[in-house]
Amino acid sequence: MIDAFLNYNFHGRTCVLLSPTGTDRGNVRYMGFDLYYLKTYQVKTFFDELLPLFGETREME
């Protein structure tokens, strides 16, 4: 669950869609909001879940 803490228009609405292909090639994720509406830990969690769908990982700090 992600809280949009600056723009409450997104609260409770579907604003991210994933179109998976079944592999890590050709997956598409559409986001209907800008990442600056999220807190830093939420962006990190988002990308930790998103990047493996594209065959990538985030470098740890």
Side-chain angles (χ1 to χ4, degrees):
M1 173 91 170
I2 294 176
D3 297 321
F5 69 99
L6 293 177
N7 188 338
Y8 295 102
N9 293 323
F10 297 119
H11 186 73
R13 296 179 65 195
T14 300
C15 51
V16 177
L17 298 174
L18 173 64
S19 177
T21 61
T23 69
D24 61 3
R25 302 233 181 242
N27 290 331
V28 177
R29 179 159 288 189
Y30 297 99
M31 296 174 24
F33 62 93
D34 298 313
L35 290 177
Y36 57 77
Y37 287 119
L38 303 179
K39 296 177 181 172
T40 301
Y41 78 91
Q42 293 171 323
V43 174
K44 288 180 179 180
T45 301
F46 179 82
F47 278 100
D48 285 343
E49 294 179 20
L50 174 69
L51 290 175
L53 297 174
F54 295 88
E56 302 291 335
T57 58
R58 179 175 65 88
E59 288 187 28
M60 295 299 173
E61 300 159 0

Short mmCIF file of all heavy atoms in Angstrom, two decimals:
data_model
loop_
_atom_site.label_atom_id
_atom_site.label_comp_id
_atom_site.label_asym_id
_atom_site.label_seq_id
_atom_site.Cartn_x
_atom_site.Cartn_y
_atom_site.Cartn_z
N MET A 1 0.85 -1.18 0.00
CA MET A 1 0.00 0.00 0.00
C MET A 1 0.89 1.23 0.00
O MET A 1 1.83 1.32 0.77
CB MET A 1 -0.89 -0.03 1.22
CG MET A 1 -1.69 1.20 1.40
SD MET A 1 -3.25 1.00 0.59
CE MET A 1 -4.08 2.41 1.21
N ILE A 2 0.59 2.16 -0.86
CA ILE A 2 1.34 3.40 -0.95
C ILE A 2 0.41 4.55 -0.64
O ILE A 2 -0.70 4.61 -1.14
CB ILE A 2 1.95 3.57 -2.35
CG1 ILE A 2 3.01 2.50 -2.60
CG2 ILE A 2 2.55 4.96 -2.53
CD1 ILE A 2 3.60 2.51 -3.98
N ASP A 3 0.85 5.44 0.22
CA ASP A 3 0.08 6.64 0.54
C ASP A 3 0.56 7.80 -0.30
O ASP A 3 1.75 8.08 -0.34
CB ASP A 3 0.25 7.01 2.02
CG ASP A 3 -0.28 5.95 2.94
OD1 ASP A 3 -1.33 5.37 2.62
OD2 ASP A 3 0.35 5.69 3.98
N ALA A 4 -0.34 8.46 -1.01
CA ALA A 4 0.00 9.68 -1.74
C ALA A 4 -0.17 10.82 -0.74
O ALA A 4 -1.27 11.24 -0.46
CB ALA A 4 -0.92 9.87 -2.94
N PHE A 5 0.93 11.29 -0.18
CA PHE A 5 0.81 12.21 0.93
C PHE A 5 0.73 13.67 0.51
O PHE A 5 0.47 14.53 1.33
CB PHE A 5 1.95 12.01 1.95
CG PHE A 5 3.30 12.43 1.45
CD1 PHE A 5 3.83 13.66 1.79
CD2 PHE A 5 4.07 11.59 0.66
CE1 PHE A 5 5.08 14.05 1.35
CE2 PHE A 5 5.31 11.96 0.22
CZ PHE A 5 5.83 13.20 0.56
N LEU A 6 0.93 13.99 -0.76
CA LEU A 6 0.79 15.37 -1.22
C LEU A 6 -0.41 15.56 -2.13
O LEU A 6 -0.96 16.64 -2.21
CB LEU A 6 2.05 15.81 -1.99
CG LEU A 6 3.32 15.93 -1.18
CD1 LEU A 6 4.49 16.31 -2.08
CD2 LEU A 6 3.17 16.97 -0.09
N ASN A 7 -0.82 14.53 -2.81
CA ASN A 7 -1.92 14.63 -3.75
C ASN A 7 -2.95 13.56 -3.41
O ASN A 7 -2.83 12.42 -3.79
CB ASN A 7 -1.44 14.47 -5.19
CG ASN A 7 -2.52 14.76 -6.18
OD1 ASN A 7 -3.70 14.70 -5.88
ND2 ASN A 7 -2.12 15.10 -7.40
N TYR A 8 -3.97 13.94 -2.68
CA TYR A 8 -4.96 12.98 -2.21
C TYR A 8 -5.93 12.54 -3.29
O TYR A 8 -6.78 11.70 -3.07
CB TYR A 8 -5.70 13.55 -1.01
CG TYR A 8 -4.76 13.75 0.16
CD1 TYR A 8 -4.27 15.00 0.48
CD2 TYR A 8 -4.34 12.66 0.92
CE1 TYR A 8 -3.39 15.16 1.53
CE2 TYR A 8 -3.47 12.82 1.97
CZ TYR A 8 -2.99 14.08 2.28
OH TYR A 8 -2.12 14.24 3.31
N ASN A 9 -5.80 13.07 -4.51
CA ASN A 9 -6.65 12.64 -5.62
C ASN A 9 -6.41 11.17 -5.95
O ASN A 9 -7.26 10.52 -6.53
CB ASN A 9 -6.39 13.49 -6.86
CG ASN A 9 -6.84 14.91 -6.67
OD1 ASN A 9 -7.85 15.18 -6.04
ND2 ASN A 9 -6.07 15.85 -7.21
N PHE A 10 -5.23 10.62 -5.60
CA PHE A 10 -4.89 9.25 -5.91
C PHE A 10 -5.29 8.28 -4.81
O PHE A 10 -5.21 7.07 -5.01
CB PHE A 10 -3.39 9.10 -6.17
CG PHE A 10 -2.91 9.88 -7.35
CD1 PHE A 10 -1.96 10.88 -7.21
CD2 PHE A 10 -3.39 9.63 -8.62
CE1 PHE A 10 -1.51 11.60 -8.29
CE2 PHE A 10 -2.95 10.34 -9.72
CZ PHE A 10 -2.01 11.33 -9.55
N HIS A 11 -5.71 8.77 -3.66
CA HIS A 11 -6.02 7.90 -2.53
C HIS A 11 -7.15 6.93 -2.89
O HIS A 11 -8.23 7.33 -3.29
CB HIS A 11 -6.40 8.74 -1.31
CG HIS A 11 -6.59 7.91 -0.09
ND1 HIS A 11 -5.54 7.36 0.59
CD2 HIS A 11 -7.70 7.53 0.57
CE1 HIS A 11 -5.98 6.67 1.61
NE2 HIS A 11 -7.30 6.76 1.62
N GLY A 12 -6.87 5.63 -2.78
CA GLY A 12 -7.87 4.62 -3.04
C GLY A 12 -8.16 4.34 -4.50
O GLY A 12 -9.06 3.58 -4.81
N ARG A 13 -7.39 4.93 -5.41
CA ARG A 13 -7.62 4.73 -6.85
C ARG A 13 -6.51 3.89 -7.46
O ARG A 13 -5.37 3.92 -7.01
CB ARG A 13 -7.66 6.08 -7.56
CG ARG A 13 -8.82 6.95 -7.09
CD ARG A 13 -8.84 8.27 -7.76
NE ARG A 13 -9.10 8.09 -9.19
CZ ARG A 13 -8.90 9.04 -10.08
NH1 ARG A 13 -8.44 10.21 -9.73
NH2 ARG A 13 -9.16 8.81 -11.35
N THR A 14 -6.83 3.15 -8.51
CA THR A 14 -5.83 2.42 -9.27
C THR A 14 -5.04 3.43 -10.08
O THR A 14 -5.62 4.15 -10.91
CB THR A 14 -6.48 1.40 -10.20
OG1 THR A 14 -7.23 0.48 -9.41
CG2 THR A 14 -5.44 0.66 -11.02
N CYS A 15 -3.74 3.52 -9.84
CA CYS A 15 -2.95 4.51 -10.56
C CYS A 15 -1.65 3.92 -11.12
O CYS A 15 -0.83 4.65 -11.65
CB CYS A 15 -2.67 5.73 -9.69
SG CYS A 15 -1.99 5.36 -8.08
N VAL A 16 -1.49 2.60 -11.01
CA VAL A 16 -0.36 1.91 -11.61
C VAL A 16 -0.89 0.64 -12.27
O VAL A 16 -1.63 -0.11 -11.64
CB VAL A 16 0.71 1.52 -10.57
CG1 VAL A 16 1.84 0.74 -11.21
CG2 VAL A 16 1.26 2.75 -9.87
N LEU A 17 -0.55 0.42 -13.52
CA LEU A 17 -0.98 -0.78 -14.23
C LEU A 17 0.24 -1.53 -14.73
O LEU A 17 1.18 -0.92 -15.23
CB LEU A 17 -1.87 -0.41 -15.42
CG LEU A 17 -3.17 0.29 -15.09
CD1 LEU A 17 -3.87 0.72 -16.37
CD2 LEU A 17 -4.07 -0.59 -14.26
N LEU A 18 0.23 -2.84 -14.60
CA LEU A 18 1.32 -3.69 -15.08
C LEU A 18 0.81 -4.55 -16.21
O LEU A 18 -0.25 -5.17 -16.10
CB LEU A 18 1.85 -4.58 -13.95
CG LEU A 18 2.88 -5.63 -14.35
CD1 LEU A 18 4.16 -4.96 -14.85
CD2 LEU A 18 3.17 -6.55 -13.19
N SER A 19 1.55 -4.56 -17.31
CA SER A 19 1.24 -5.43 -18.44
C SER A 19 2.37 -6.45 -18.55
O SER A 19 3.38 -6.20 -19.21
CB SER A 19 1.12 -4.61 -19.72
OG SER A 19 0.89 -5.44 -20.82
N PRO A 20 2.23 -7.62 -17.89
CA PRO A 20 3.30 -8.62 -17.91
C PRO A 20 3.27 -9.48 -19.16
O PRO A 20 2.20 -9.73 -19.74
CB PRO A 20 3.02 -9.47 -16.67
CG PRO A 20 1.53 -9.38 -16.51
CD PRO A 20 1.14 -8.01 -17.02
N THR A 21 4.44 -9.94 -19.57
CA THR A 21 4.54 -10.83 -20.73
C THR A 21 4.83 -12.26 -20.31
O THR A 21 4.84 -13.14 -21.15
CB THR A 21 5.68 -10.37 -21.66
OG1 THR A 21 6.91 -10.42 -20.95
CG2 THR A 21 5.44 -8.98 -22.19
N GLY A 22 5.10 -12.48 -19.03
CA GLY A 22 5.44 -13.81 -18.55
C GLY A 22 6.94 -14.04 -18.46
O GLY A 22 7.39 -15.05 -17.98
N THR A 23 7.72 -13.09 -18.97
CA THR A 23 9.18 -13.13 -18.85
C THR A 23 9.64 -11.76 -18.38
O THR A 23 8.83 -10.87 -18.16
CB THR A 23 9.85 -13.46 -20.20
OG1 THR A 23 9.69 -12.35 -21.08
CG2 THR A 23 9.25 -14.70 -20.84
N ASP A 24 10.97 -11.61 -18.26
CA ASP A 24 11.48 -10.28 -17.88
C ASP A 24 11.73 -9.41 -19.12
O ASP A 24 12.35 -8.37 -19.03
CB ASP A 24 12.75 -10.41 -17.03
CG ASP A 24 13.87 -11.11 -17.76
OD1 ASP A 24 13.71 -11.47 -18.94
OD2 ASP A 24 14.93 -11.31 -17.14
N ARG A 25 11.21 -9.80 -20.26
CA ARG A 25 11.37 -9.02 -21.49
C ARG A 25 10.01 -8.54 -21.97
O ARG A 25 9.09 -9.33 -22.19
CB ARG A 25 12.00 -9.87 -22.58
CG ARG A 25 13.34 -10.42 -22.18
CD ARG A 25 14.35 -10.06 -23.24
NE ARG A 25 15.64 -10.60 -22.88
CZ ARG A 25 16.68 -9.84 -22.65
NH1 ARG A 25 16.57 -8.55 -22.74
NH2 ARG A 25 17.82 -10.37 -22.34
N GLY A 26 9.86 -7.27 -22.12
CA GLY A 26 8.64 -6.71 -22.67
C GLY A 26 7.59 -6.32 -21.66
O GLY A 26 6.52 -5.86 -22.04
N ASN A 27 7.86 -6.51 -20.36
CA ASN A 27 6.90 -6.05 -19.36
C ASN A 27 6.80 -4.53 -19.41
O ASN A 27 7.76 -3.84 -19.69
CB ASN A 27 7.34 -6.46 -17.95
CG ASN A 27 7.23 -7.95 -17.73
OD1 ASN A 27 6.40 -8.61 -18.32
ND2 ASN A 27 8.08 -8.49 -16.89
N VAL A 28 5.60 -4.04 -19.14
CA VAL A 28 5.37 -2.59 -19.15
C VAL A 28 4.61 -2.23 -17.88
O VAL A 28 3.66 -2.91 -17.51
CB VAL A 28 4.53 -2.16 -20.38
CG1 VAL A 28 4.24 -0.67 -20.33
CG2 VAL A 28 5.24 -2.53 -21.66
N ARG A 29 5.02 -1.17 -17.23
CA ARG A 29 4.30 -0.65 -16.09
C ARG A 29 3.99 0.81 -16.36
O ARG A 29 4.87 1.60 -16.63
CB ARG A 29 5.11 -0.78 -14.80
CG ARG A 29 4.32 -0.20 -13.63
CD ARG A 29 4.72 -0.66 -12.32
NE ARG A 29 4.31 -2.04 -12.10
CZ ARG A 29 4.41 -2.63 -10.92
NH1 ARG A 29 4.87 -1.98 -9.91
NH2 ARG A 29 4.05 -3.87 -10.78
N TYR A 30 2.72 1.15 -16.30
CA TYR A 30 2.27 2.53 -16.49
C TYR A 30 1.96 3.13 -15.13
O TYR A 30 1.24 2.54 -14.35
CB TYR A 30 1.01 2.57 -17.35
CG TYR A 30 1.21 2.07 -18.75
CD1 TYR A 30 0.86 0.77 -19.09
CD2 TYR A 30 1.77 2.89 -19.73
CE1 TYR A 30 1.05 0.30 -20.38
CE2 TYR A 30 1.96 2.43 -21.01
CZ TYR A 30 1.60 1.14 -21.33
OH TYR A 30 1.80 0.67 -22.60
N MET A 31 2.51 4.30 -14.86
CA MET A 31 2.27 4.98 -13.60
C MET A 31 1.52 6.28 -13.89
O MET A 31 1.93 7.06 -14.73
CB MET A 31 3.59 5.28 -12.89
CG MET A 31 4.32 4.03 -12.51
SD MET A 31 5.97 4.24 -11.81
CE MET A 31 5.97 5.85 -11.15
N GLY A 32 0.42 6.49 -13.19
CA GLY A 32 -0.38 7.68 -13.39
C GLY A 32 -0.08 8.77 -12.38
O GLY A 32 -0.92 9.61 -12.10
N PHE A 33 1.12 8.74 -11.82
CA PHE A 33 1.53 9.75 -10.84
C PHE A 33 3.03 9.91 -10.90
O PHE A 33 3.74 9.07 -11.44
CB PHE A 33 1.09 9.35 -9.43
CG PHE A 33 1.71 8.07 -8.96
CD1 PHE A 33 2.88 8.08 -8.22
CD2 PHE A 33 1.13 6.85 -9.26
CE1 PHE A 33 3.47 6.90 -7.79
CE2 PHE A 33 1.70 5.66 -8.83
CZ PHE A 33 2.87 5.69 -8.10
N ASP A 34 3.51 10.99 -10.34
CA ASP A 34 4.95 11.25 -10.27
C ASP A 34 5.50 10.69 -8.96
O ASP A 34 4.83 10.72 -7.93
CB ASP A 34 5.23 12.75 -10.33
CG ASP A 34 4.75 13.35 -11.63
OD1 ASP A 34 5.04 12.76 -12.68
OD2 ASP A 34 4.08 14.39 -11.59
N LEU A 35 6.73 10.18 -9.01
CA LEU A 35 7.33 9.58 -7.82
C LEU A 35 7.53 10.57 -6.67
O LEU A 35 7.62 10.16 -5.52
CB LEU A 35 8.66 8.91 -8.17
CG LEU A 35 8.54 7.65 -9.02
CD1 LEU A 35 9.92 7.13 -9.37
CD2 LEU A 35 7.75 6.59 -8.30
N TYR A 36 7.55 11.86 -6.97
CA TYR A 36 7.77 12.80 -5.87
C TYR A 36 6.56 12.89 -4.94
O TYR A 36 6.61 13.53 -3.90
CB TYR A 36 8.18 14.19 -6.37
CG TYR A 36 7.23 14.87 -7.32
CD1 TYR A 36 6.06 15.48 -6.89
CD2 TYR A 36 7.53 14.95 -8.68
CE1 TYR A 36 5.21 16.11 -7.77
CE2 TYR A 36 6.70 15.59 -9.56
CZ TYR A 36 5.53 16.17 -9.10
OH TYR A 36 4.70 16.80 -9.98
N TYR A 37 5.46 12.23 -5.28
CA TYR A 37 4.33 12.15 -4.36
C TYR A 37 4.55 11.09 -3.28
O TYR A 37 3.73 10.96 -2.38
CB TYR A 37 3.04 11.84 -5.11
CG TYR A 37 2.51 13.00 -5.91
CD1 TYR A 37 2.37 12.90 -7.28
CD2 TYR A 37 2.16 14.18 -5.29
CE1 TYR A 37 1.89 13.97 -8.02
CE2 TYR A 37 1.69 15.26 -6.02
CZ TYR A 37 1.54 15.13 -7.38
OH TYR A 37 1.07 16.19 -8.09
N LEU A 38 5.61 10.31 -3.39
CA LEU A 38 5.87 9.23 -2.45
C LEU A 38 7.01 9.58 -1.51
O LEU A 38 7.87 10.39 -1.82
CB LEU A 38 6.24 7.95 -3.21
CG LEU A 38 5.23 7.45 -4.23
CD1 LEU A 38 5.75 6.20 -4.90
CD2 LEU A 38 3.89 7.18 -3.57
N LYS A 39 7.01 8.91 -0.37
CA LYS A 39 8.12 9.05 0.56
C LYS A 39 9.26 8.16 0.08
O LYS A 39 9.05 7.19 -0.64
CB LYS A 39 7.66 8.64 1.96
CG LYS A 39 6.57 9.58 2.48
CD LYS A 39 6.06 9.14 3.82
CE LYS A 39 4.95 10.10 4.24
NZ LYS A 39 4.27 9.66 5.43
N THR A 40 10.49 8.48 0.47
CA THR A 40 11.68 7.78 -0.04
C THR A 40 11.59 6.28 0.19
O THR A 40 11.86 5.50 -0.72
CB THR A 40 12.95 8.34 0.62
OG1 THR A 40 13.04 9.74 0.33
CG2 THR A 40 14.19 7.63 0.11
N TYR A 41 11.20 5.83 1.37
CA TYR A 41 11.14 4.39 1.63
C TYR A 41 10.10 3.72 0.73
O TYR A 41 10.25 2.57 0.35
CB TYR A 41 10.89 4.10 3.10
CG TYR A 41 9.45 4.28 3.55
CD1 TYR A 41 8.56 3.21 3.51
CD2 TYR A 41 8.99 5.50 4.01
CE1 TYR A 41 7.25 3.36 3.92
CE2 TYR A 41 7.68 5.66 4.41
CZ TYR A 41 6.82 4.60 4.37
OH TYR A 41 5.52 4.76 4.77
N GLN A 42 9.03 4.44 0.37
CA GLN A 42 8.02 3.88 -0.51
C GLN A 42 8.54 3.70 -1.94
O GLN A 42 8.24 2.72 -2.60
CB GLN A 42 6.77 4.75 -0.52
CG GLN A 42 6.04 4.78 0.80
CD GLN A 42 4.94 5.80 0.85
OE1 GLN A 42 5.07 6.88 0.31
NE2 GLN A 42 3.85 5.45 1.51
N VAL A 43 9.35 4.65 -2.40
CA VAL A 43 9.95 4.55 -3.73
C VAL A 43 10.92 3.37 -3.77
O VAL A 43 10.92 2.59 -4.73
CB VAL A 43 10.67 5.86 -4.13
CG1 VAL A 43 11.42 5.69 -5.44
CG2 VAL A 43 9.68 7.00 -4.23
N LYS A 44 11.73 3.19 -2.73
CA LYS A 44 12.67 2.07 -2.68
C LYS A 44 11.92 0.74 -2.71
O LYS A 44 12.29 -0.17 -3.44
CB LYS A 44 13.55 2.17 -1.43
CG LYS A 44 14.56 3.29 -1.51
CD LYS A 44 15.41 3.35 -0.26
CE LYS A 44 16.44 4.46 -0.36
NZ LYS A 44 17.27 4.54 0.84
N THR A 45 10.85 0.63 -1.92
CA THR A 45 10.05 -0.59 -1.90
C THR A 45 9.42 -0.83 -3.26
O THR A 45 9.41 -1.96 -3.77
CB THR A 45 8.96 -0.49 -0.82
OG1 THR A 45 9.58 -0.30 0.44
CG2 THR A 45 8.11 -1.75 -0.79
N PHE A 46 8.91 0.22 -3.87
CA PHE A 46 8.29 0.13 -5.19
C PHE A 46 9.27 -0.44 -6.22
O PHE A 46 8.96 -1.38 -6.94
CB PHE A 46 7.82 1.53 -5.62
CG PHE A 46 7.18 1.59 -6.97
CD1 PHE A 46 5.86 1.24 -7.14
CD2 PHE A 46 7.90 2.00 -8.07
CE1 PHE A 46 5.26 1.31 -8.39
CE2 PHE A 46 7.32 2.07 -9.32
CZ PHE A 46 5.99 1.71 -9.48
N PHE A 47 10.49 0.11 -6.26
CA PHE A 47 11.47 -0.35 -7.22
C PHE A 47 12.04 -1.72 -6.88
O PHE A 47 12.40 -2.49 -7.77
CB PHE A 47 12.58 0.68 -7.43
CG PHE A 47 12.16 1.75 -8.40
CD1 PHE A 47 11.73 2.98 -7.95
CD2 PHE A 47 12.15 1.51 -9.76
CE1 PHE A 47 11.32 3.96 -8.83
CE2 PHE A 47 11.74 2.47 -10.66
CZ PHE A 47 11.32 3.70 -10.20
N ASP A 48 12.11 -2.07 -5.59
CA ASP A 48 12.55 -3.41 -5.20
C ASP A 48 11.59 -4.47 -5.74
O ASP A 48 11.99 -5.58 -6.06
CB ASP A 48 12.67 -3.54 -3.68
CG ASP A 48 13.90 -2.83 -3.14
OD1 ASP A 48 14.82 -2.52 -3.93
OD2 ASP A 48 13.94 -2.59 -1.92
N GLU A 49 10.31 -4.13 -5.85
CA GLU A 49 9.32 -5.05 -6.39
C GLU A 49 9.23 -4.96 -7.91
O GLU A 49 8.96 -5.95 -8.59
CB GLU A 49 7.96 -4.77 -5.78
CG GLU A 49 7.91 -5.08 -4.30
CD GLU A 49 6.55 -4.78 -3.69
OE1 GLU A 49 5.56 -4.69 -4.44
OE2 GLU A 49 6.48 -4.64 -2.46
N LEU A 50 9.48 -3.78 -8.46
CA LEU A 50 9.33 -3.56 -9.90
C LEU A 50 10.51 -4.08 -10.71
O LEU A 50 10.32 -4.78 -11.72
CB LEU A 50 9.17 -2.06 -10.17
CG LEU A 50 9.16 -1.64 -11.64
CD1 LEU A 50 7.89 -2.13 -12.32
CD2 LEU A 50 9.29 -0.14 -11.76
N LEU A 51 11.71 -3.79 -10.32
CA LEU A 51 12.89 -4.09 -11.13
C LEU A 51 13.07 -5.58 -11.45
O LEU A 51 13.44 -5.90 -12.59
CB LEU A 51 14.14 -3.51 -10.48
CG LEU A 51 14.23 -1.99 -10.51
CD1 LEU A 51 15.46 -1.51 -9.73
CD2 LEU A 51 14.24 -1.45 -11.92
N PRO A 52 12.81 -6.52 -10.53
CA PRO A 52 12.93 -7.93 -10.90
C PRO A 52 12.01 -8.35 -12.05
O PRO A 52 12.32 -9.28 -12.79
CB PRO A 52 12.59 -8.68 -9.61
CG PRO A 52 12.95 -7.72 -8.52
CD PRO A 52 12.60 -6.36 -9.08
N LEU A 53 10.89 -7.65 -12.22
CA LEU A 53 9.99 -7.96 -13.33
C LEU A 53 10.62 -7.64 -14.67
O LEU A 53 10.17 -8.11 -15.71
CB LEU A 53 8.68 -7.17 -13.19
CG LEU A 53 7.84 -7.49 -11.96
CD1 LEU A 53 6.66 -6.54 -11.88
CD2 LEU A 53 7.37 -8.93 -11.98
N PHE A 54 11.68 -6.83 -14.64
CA PHE A 54 12.39 -6.44 -15.85
C PHE A 54 13.80 -7.05 -15.90
O PHE A 54 14.63 -6.63 -16.69
CB PHE A 54 12.46 -4.91 -15.95
CG PHE A 54 11.11 -4.28 -16.12
CD1 PHE A 54 10.35 -3.94 -15.03
CD2 PHE A 54 10.60 -4.05 -17.38
CE1 PHE A 54 9.10 -3.37 -15.19
CE2 PHE A 54 9.35 -3.49 -17.56
CZ PHE A 54 8.60 -3.15 -16.46
N GLY A 55 14.05 -8.02 -15.00
CA GLY A 55 15.35 -8.69 -14.98
C GLY A 55 16.45 -7.84 -14.38
O GLY A 55 17.63 -8.07 -14.64
N GLU A 56 16.10 -6.85 -13.56
CA GLU A 56 17.07 -5.94 -12.96
C GLU A 56 16.95 -5.96 -11.45
O GLU A 56 15.95 -6.43 -10.90
CB GLU A 56 16.82 -4.50 -13.46
CG GLU A 56 16.88 -4.32 -14.95
CD GLU A 56 18.29 -4.47 -15.50
OE1 GLU A 56 19.26 -4.26 -14.76
OE2 GLU A 56 18.41 -4.81 -16.69
N THR A 57 17.95 -5.44 -10.76
CA THR A 57 17.90 -5.23 -9.33
C THR A 57 18.47 -3.86 -9.01
O THR A 57 19.22 -3.29 -9.78
CB THR A 57 18.71 -6.30 -8.55
OG1 THR A 57 20.06 -6.26 -9.01
CG2 THR A 57 18.13 -7.68 -8.76
N ARG A 58 18.09 -3.35 -7.85
CA ARG A 58 18.59 -2.05 -7.41
C ARG A 58 19.87 -2.27 -6.62
O ARG A 58 19.94 -3.15 -5.77
CB ARG A 58 17.54 -1.38 -6.54
CG ARG A 58 17.94 -0.02 -5.99
CD ARG A 58 16.78 0.62 -5.24
NE ARG A 58 16.36 -0.08 -4.06
CZ ARG A 58 16.87 0.12 -2.85
NH1 ARG A 58 17.83 0.98 -2.65
NH2 ARG A 58 16.41 -0.57 -1.82
N GLU A 59 20.90 -1.46 -6.89
CA GLU A 59 22.13 -1.55 -6.10
C GLU A 59 21.86 -1.04 -4.71
O GLU A 59 21.26 0.03 -4.53
CB GLU A 59 23.24 -0.71 -6.74
CG GLU A 59 23.80 -1.30 -8.00
CD GLU A 59 25.01 -0.52 -8.50
OE1 GLU A 59 25.70 0.09 -7.66
OE2 GLU A 59 25.23 -0.53 -9.70
N MET A 60 22.25 -1.79 -3.73
CA MET A 60 22.04 -1.37 -2.34
C MET A 60 23.03 -0.28 -1.99
O MET A 60 24.14 -0.25 -2.46
CB MET A 60 22.21 -2.55 -1.38
CG MET A 60 21.15 -3.60 -1.58
SD MET A 60 19.54 -2.91 -1.27
CE MET A 60 18.50 -4.23 -1.77
N GLU A 61 22.60 0.61 -1.12
CA GLU A 61 23.45 1.75 -0.72
C GLU A 61 24.42 1.35 0.36
O GLU A 61 24.21 0.52 1.15
CB GLU A 61 22.56 2.89 -0.23
CG GLU A 61 21.63 3.33 -1.32
CD GLU A 61 20.41 4.06 -0.77
OE1 GLU A 61 20.29 4.23 0.44
OE2 GLU A 61 19.57 4.44 -1.57
#
